[in-house]
Amino acid sequence: MLISVLVPVYNTSKYLDRCMKSLLNQTYKDLEIVVINDGSTDDSLSKLEQYAKKDSRVKVYSYENAGISKTRNRALEQAHGEYITFVDSDDFIDHHMIEKLYQAAIKRDLDVVQCNFVMDYGPIPFYRKPTFRKDFSTLEAMKMLAKEFYLNNYPWGKLYKRECFDGVHFPENMKGFEDTCTIFKAIAKAKRVGTIPNRYYHYAQRFGSLTNCMSLETVYLMRRAYQYQEQEFNKLFKGEKFSFDLQYYNTDMVLIYTLILFVHRKDHAKFVPADFNWKKTPIPPFWYIAYWAWLGIAMLKLSPNILKMPKDVHDTLQKPPADLNLDTLFASDQTKTVKKQ
């Protein structure tokens, strides 16, 4: 059974050998490794071409830079396997990850199966609490995904039947969190979804990656991604109830964290809390206290004016558009403030 491994590459020459060796040394051998070079300006392409010469399973396609969504879509177009899995080129996987995921898929009749992962901070691994072996119907899987309990929105660390991506594409107009707007659609096409407890995927944390360079604009777009996901869940499963309140709480906390660490008074930043029900959000009392304590610190650092703004600015931040531009939005708010004075 052919399995397609989809690898987007952009200026990751430093990590490519580690990634490619982990794929070529898999205990499962019937693979095609579809590598899309997204206009790299380092020597990533020359390295990839050397791998393709040595192993016919490596298929390299090179394009002008178009971003991660377009790159993953191009990889999907080139995939011929009955199953697919994604691996980012700065990450790597355990040598029997694909075999174990495939065995679980066949034995348990799963259309999507997910393993756990390790967050690698250089030589220091961070082991998150693992999820265990579990099988879900489509609806059960979606309810778990809404809470990010057992299942997550990452494209990698999963094995999918190819048809789960029929008609599913990564949005090419987004500046971040395209995964959150996409992976649930593939899971929604699965009849059965499952997990295995093993930490087979190594998620590298490096300077310059999106998750380590969070801007205020990026986090507001995270909010938009969850709002989009909730809206689509309700369309797909009419009459069902999905709770995204915990995701909105977590996004608010990341916003406050970003305000405290990365924003200055001169930025004239604004904070708008998400519209969620505190009473129904399953958080311990300490988390509630921490929320308001952190917000107090942000207000002390940046002034209470972070909570004051015209209604149009407030509404834009509470439900951000895909083309959100905070520089323009905050500049507009400042112009209005000056006029009032």
Side-chain angles (χ1 to χ4, degrees):
M1 186 79 69
L2 182 66
I3 295 177
S4 299
V5 185
L6 310 186
V7 187
V9 174
Y10 177 69
N11 287 351
T12 51
S13 173
K14 180 179 177 181
Y15 311 95
L16 267 182
D17 287 334
R18 182 181 65 181
C19 177
M20 293 300 293
K21 287 176 182 177
S22 77
L23 302 181
L24 294 172
N25 292 329
Q26 287 294 298
T27 54
Y28 189 91
K29 301 299 182 184
D30 191 8
L31 303 174
E32 66 165 3
I33 301 169
V34 179
V35 187
I36 307 295
N37 173 50
D38 185 32
S40 295
T41 57
D42 62 5
D43 64 341
S44 293
L45 180 58
S46 61
K47 278 191 175 184
L48 293 171
E49 289 171 340
Q50 289 302 312
Y51 279 107
K53 287 179 181 178
K54 294 177 183 177
D55 196 313
S56 62
R57 294 176 300 170
V58 179
K59 314 293 184 185
V60 179
Y61 304 88
S62 191
Y63 302 88
E64 292 183 4
N65 181 257
I68 186 63
S69 288
K70 183 69 173 179
T71 301
R72 286 192 176 129
N73 289 336
R74 283 169 166 163
L76 286 167
E77 290 170 4
Q78 300 293 345
H80 300 97
E82 294 188 49
Y83 289 83
I84 62 172
T85 187
F86 294 90
V87 178
D88 284 353
S89 59
D90 52 351
D91 298 336
F92 64 101
I93 61 177
D94 187 275
H95 72 280
H96 49 243
M97 183 187 97
I98 294 175
E99 180 182 16
K100 295 299 184 183
L101 287 174
Y102 178 66
Q103 287 175 349
I106 296 302
K107 185 176 181 180
R108 292 155 57 187
D109 190 25
L110 303 173
D111 298 321
V112 178
V113 57
Q114 173 187 291
C115 67
N116 283 274
F117 63 92
V118 180
M119 297 179 75
D120 284 337
Y121 291 85
I124 304 172
F126 176 68
Y127 296 96
R128 296 165 59 115
K129 184 179 179 180
T131 54
F132 300 102
R133 183 189 188 277
K134 194 85 171 175
D135 293 350
F136 305 100
S137 67
T138 308
L139 180 58
E140 289 169 342
M142 300 306 276
K143 289 191 173 182
M144 291 296 102
L145 189 61
K147 296 183 285 187
E148 288 197 346
F149 182 59
Y150 271 94
L151 299 173
N152 60 53
N153 288 292
Y154 297 123
W156 42 256
K158 298 177 180 67
L159 185 70
Y160 312 81
K161 275 191 176 176
R162 180 63 181 83
E163 55 261 35
C164 289
F165 274 91
D166 287 349
V168 174
H169 302 92
F170 291 86
E172 297 176 10
N173 65 331
M174 290 192 67
K175 294 183 281 186
F177 302 97
E178 65 288 330
D179 302 343
T180 306
C181 296
T182 307
I183 296 306
F184 76 88
K185 296 177 183 179
I187 293 175
K189 285 178 171 283
K191 293 178 182 177
R192 285 173 56 80
V193 179
T195 59
I196 59 176
N198 314 76
R199 297 184 180 98
Y200 287 141
Y201 193 94
H202 291 261
Y203 180 26
Q205 302 298 294
R206 62 186 179 90
F207 181 78
S209 67
L210 176 63
T211 49
N212 285 317
C213 295
M214 299 294 275
S215 68
L216 204 60
E217 186 171 277
T218 299
V219 190
Y220 276 117
L221 288 173
M222 181 196 300
R223 171 182 292 174
R224 179 190 181 277
Y226 283 125
Q227 289 170 339
Y228 172 78
Q229 198 176 80
E230 182 177 23
Q231 171 188 309
E232 293 300 306
F233 275 35
N234 291 328
K235 286 182 185 176
L236 288 167
F237 301 92
K238 289 180 169 49
E240 294 292 338
K241 291 185 177 179
F242 298 94
S243 175
F244 280 79
D245 288 349
L246 185 57
Q247 307 303 341
Y248 294 138
Y249 169 87
N250 289 335
T251 304
D252 272 13
M253 289 297 279
V254 178
L255 279 169
I256 297 169
Y257 167 85
T258 304
L259 285 166
I260 293 172
L261 290 188
F262 304 113
V263 176
H264 307 283
R265 284 197 178 221
K266 63 180 177 60
D267 298 323
H268 306 293
K270 301 296 179 185
F271 172 70
V272 175
D275 184 17
F276 63 93
N277 192 328
W278 279 100
K279 293 181 180 179
K280 293 184 179 180
T281 306
I283 62 172
F286 172 76
W287 288 20
Y288 180 88
I289 295 169
Y291 182 103
W292 295 107
W294 274 42
L295 183 55
I297 294 171
M299 292 169 66
L300 187 64
K301 176 190 175 186
L302 302 172
S303 97
N305 287 333
I306 61 172
L307 301 178
K308 298 176 182 178
M309 69 205 80
K311 186 177 184 302
D312 61 329
V313 175
H314 178 279
D315 292 349
T316 298
L317 293 179
Q318 194 162 74
K319 293 186 177 180
D323 59 351
L324 177 68
N325 186 315
L326 290 188
D327 290 337
T328 302
L329 187 68
F330 294 158
S332 172
D333 176 45
Q334 279 301 106
T335 301
K336 292 172 184 177
T337 303
V338 170
K339 285 182 178 179
K340 285 182 180 179
Q341 292 173 347

